């Protein structure tokens, strides 16, 4: 039996809970789990995690429109020792191998969302070849490498400087992209390593050189996924990580939001006379009204200072309009202090990089589905709706349901 093993831990210093942060409309881990489930050679897919939230997210995949595809998935636990910052991936693999029966294992890393089922199919085809003990995925790079000696003198390591090859004539070199590794259970337990013996390399698309380790990688990977046509069917049940249980939402006494990109779609519309127009959603108006009925302070905190926003705030009967705001965290802190409300009981909705600090600072930071990656990463909840499509109503309903 061939199994896929995808270790995903909840702790990440660079990007908290990054494995379930949305990328291209789905939690990060969705893409590699989907690739594993689509591989013909894989019989079972095991996702090992120490996080209840990640477990809930992956379990939700089996309830969406791709339920049949994800039926291969089993979510299992992993020990604190194998999920700590200093633990090796091999420690999690060995822990799994000692507890489960299988013949061969493919280690798949969730930080490689460009991985496709076809890549794994080719991996197992290579593994089936004679005199093969293990397989790893690589990309071919055509860069000229140099090294310095003890005196600081540089020299090329992979080409003749006097006979510089043209790119199309240069074989280049292979680099691990970290997407997958295949070996037998027997060899894993013997070598205590993901690959050993006679190793074959399977080349993948050069775009898969990139992995997600830092927040800046999110933008690059999303663009590459779009370029490569990597998309999922529309299924709102798994667009983002599952909603936190009502008991997990903090008590909210103040609800604040940015304007453009949250209350609006972020578009700038102009009449033939040069008048600036904005598109608001009436459902958000009801969301504010429902919050006010429960005694929650409501308001807009925006860097813009235009009459349109003032008139909309007045129509919505909001308590606060903080316009022309250059320091949103300072403004939110002041507004909360003036009303004797701790930041832990403040909800803020924002969509761009100037909202990130505020989203992290408050008790319940939320971002629209189409917010900038940095804002989505900072948020505790990412809505299913996009800016201007009733984002405020969605968040308001969640807050009220928790009361």
């Amino acid at each position: 039996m061939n199994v896929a093993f995808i270790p995903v831990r909840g702790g990440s210093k660079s990007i908290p809970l990054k494995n379930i942060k949305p990328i291209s409309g789905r939690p990060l881990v969705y893409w590699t789990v989907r690739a594993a489930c689509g591989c013909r050679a894989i019989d079972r897919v095991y996702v090992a995690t120490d996080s209840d939230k990640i477990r809930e997210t992956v379990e939700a995949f089996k309830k969406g429109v791709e339920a049949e595809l994800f039926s291969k998935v089993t979510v299992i636990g992993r020990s604190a020792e194998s999920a700590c910052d200093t633990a090796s991936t091999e420690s999690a693999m060995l822990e799994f191998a000692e507890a489960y029966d299988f013949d061969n294992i493919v280690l798949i890393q969730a930080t490689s969302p460009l991985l496709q089922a076809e890549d794994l199919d080719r991996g197992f085809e290579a593994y089936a070849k004679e005199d093969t003990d293990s397989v790893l995925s690589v990309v071919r790079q055509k860069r000229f490498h140099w090294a310095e000696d003890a005196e600081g003198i540089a020299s090329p390591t992979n080409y003749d400087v006097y006979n510089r090859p043209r790119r199309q004539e240069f074989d280049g070199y292979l680099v691990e992209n970290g997407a997958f590794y295949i070996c037998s259970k027997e060899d894993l337990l013997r070598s205590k390593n993901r690959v050993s013996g006679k190793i074959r390399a399977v080349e993948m698309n050069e775009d898969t050189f990139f992995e997600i380790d830092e927040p800046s990688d999110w933008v690059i990977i999303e663009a590459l996924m779009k370029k490569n046509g990597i998309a999922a069917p529309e299924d709102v049940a798994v667009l983002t990580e599952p909603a936190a249980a009502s008991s997990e939402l903090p008590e909210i006494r103040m609800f604040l939001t940015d304007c453009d990109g949250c209350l609006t779609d972020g578009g700038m519309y102009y009449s033939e006379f040069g008048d600036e127009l904005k598109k608001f959603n009436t459902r958000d108006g009801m969301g504010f009204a429902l919050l006010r009925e429960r005694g929650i302070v409501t308001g807009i905190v925006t860097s813009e200072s235009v009459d349109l926003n003032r008139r909309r705030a007045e129509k919505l009967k909001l308590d606060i309009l903080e316009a022309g705001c250059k320091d949103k965290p300072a403004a939110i802190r002041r507004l909360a202090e003036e009303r004797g409300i701790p930041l832990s009981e403040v909800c803020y909705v924002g969509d761009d990089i100037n909202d990130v600090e505020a989203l992290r600072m408050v008790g319940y930071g939320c971002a629209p589905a189409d917010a900038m990656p940095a804002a989505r990463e900072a948020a505790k909840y990412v809505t299913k709706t996009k800016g201007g499509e009733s984002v405020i109503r969605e968040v308001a309903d969640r807050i009220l349901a928790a009361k």
Side-chain angles (χ1 to χ4, degrees), residues 5 117 136 155 161 214 224 229-230 283 288 294 399:
F5 179 69
L136 78 164
S155 59
V161 70
E214 300 297 333
L224 290 174
I230 298 175
R283 295 190 186 94
F288 278 122
R294 300 295 290 271
I399 291 172

Side-chain angles (χ1 to χ4, degrees), residues 180-191:
F180 69 86
Y181 305 82
I182 306 174
C183 69
S184 69
K185 178 178 181 177
E186 181 181 355
D187 284 341
L188 172 62
L189 291 173
R190 177 187 53 78
S191 69

Side-chain angles (χ1 to χ4, degrees), residues 87-402:
S88 67
T89 300
E90 273 77 4
S91 68
M93 294 178 71
L94 290 167
E95 182 179 75
F96 170 73
E98 289 167 358
Y100 290 84
D101 291 325
F102 60 90
D103 298 308
N104 304 300
I105 182 172
V106 52
L107 166 66
I108 299 175
Q109 305 202 108
T111 50
S112 301
L114 290 163
L115 175 69
Q116 297 290 284
E118 294 78 10
D119 299 317
L120 294 167
D121 286 334
R122 291 189 299 109
F124 276 98
E125 288 169 7
Y127 185 63
K129 291 182 179 178
E130 190 175 352
D131 294 329
T132 303
D133 296 309
S134 51
V135 170
L136 78 164
S137 60
V138 298
V139 292
R140 188 173 295 276
Q141 293 285 292
K142 296 190 175 183
R143 303 282 183 178
F144 298 132
H145 277 197
W146 289 67
E148 289 182 332
D149 63 19
E151 283 72 42
I153 303 302
S155 59
T157 61
N158 66 341
Y159 81 108
D160 180 355
V161 70
Y162 298 105
N163 293 283
R164 180 185 293 268
R166 294 188 303 166
R167 181 178 173 81
Q168 58 268 39
E169 298 170 343
F170 184 40
D171 289 336
Y173 53 94
L174 301 178
V175 180
E176 285 187 45
N177 64 355
F180 69 86
Y181 305 82
I182 306 174
C183 69
S184 69
K185 178 178 181 177
E186 181 181 355
D187 284 341
L188 172 62
L189 291 173
R190 177 187 53 78
S191 69
K192 302 190 185 310
N193 201 55
R194 66 188 74 181
V195 289
S196 62
K198 295 179 180 179
I199 305 168
R200 289 189 187 273
V202 172
E203 284 190 47
M204 289 176 58
N205 183 315
E206 63 180 350
D207 288 343
T208 64
F209 175 80
F210 295 94
E211 293 181 85
I212 292 182
D213 291 312
E214 300 297 333
S216 58
D217 297 331
W218 227 266
V219 179
I220 297 170
I221 296 291
E222 279 195 313
L224 290 174
M225 292 176 75
K226 184 176 182 180
K227 169 193 167 187
N228 286 279
I230 298 175
E234 188 69 18
D235 182 2
V236 296
V238 294
L239 282 177
T240 60
E241 60 263 37
S246 295
S247 59
E248 295 177 350
L249 266 72
E251 175 71 19
I252 298 300
R253 294 168 56 197
M254 176 182 283
F255 183 101
L256 303 172
T257 181
D258 184 20
C259 186
D260 292 332
C262 297
L263 283 168
T264 77
D265 60 5
M268 302 299 290
Y269 304 91
Y270 294 91
S271 72
E272 61 179 315
F273 303 106
D275 299 316
E276 183 180 331
L277 308 172
K278 293 186 180 185
K279 177 185 176 183
F280 294 92
N281 193 297
T282 58
R283 295 190 186 94
D284 286 338
M286 178 58 71
F288 278 122
L290 293 171
L291 291 169
R292 285 200 312 278
E293 287 177 6
R294 300 295 290 271
I296 297 173
V297 177
T298 58
I300 295 173
V301 178
T302 175
S303 58
E304 270 199 323
S305 183
V306 296
D307 193 51
L308 262 176
N309 293 343
R310 179 187 59 77
R311 282 185 281 148
R312 183 58 178 165
E314 289 176 353
K315 185 175 179 62
L316 295 173
K317 299 179 181 178
L318 302 184
D319 303 294
I320 296 166
L321 172 60
E322 191 77 14
C325 183
K326 302 304 180 185
D327 188 342
K328 292 184 178 182
I332 293 170
R333 189 176 289 107
R334 172 176 51 79
L335 292 168
E337 288 176 355
E338 289 173 353
R339 290 160 177 79
I341 298 173
L343 289 173
S344 61
E345 297 180 1
V346 175
C347 173
Y348 177 70
V349 183
D351 72 304
D352 215 328
I353 56 174
N354 62 335
D355 297 305
V356 168
E357 187 178 347
L359 288 167
R360 289 175 176 158
M361 178 183 75
V362 300
Y364 196 47
C366 302
D370 59 343
M372 293 301 293
R376 297 202 306 269
E377 291 156 19
K380 291 182 175 65
Y381 177 70
V382 178
T383 65
K384 298 177 178 67
T385 47
K386 298 179 181 179
E389 296 180 0
S390 71
V391 165
I392 277 48
R393 178 61 181 275
E394 180 179 336
V395 177
D397 285 347
R398 286 176 55 78
I399 291 172
L400 296 174

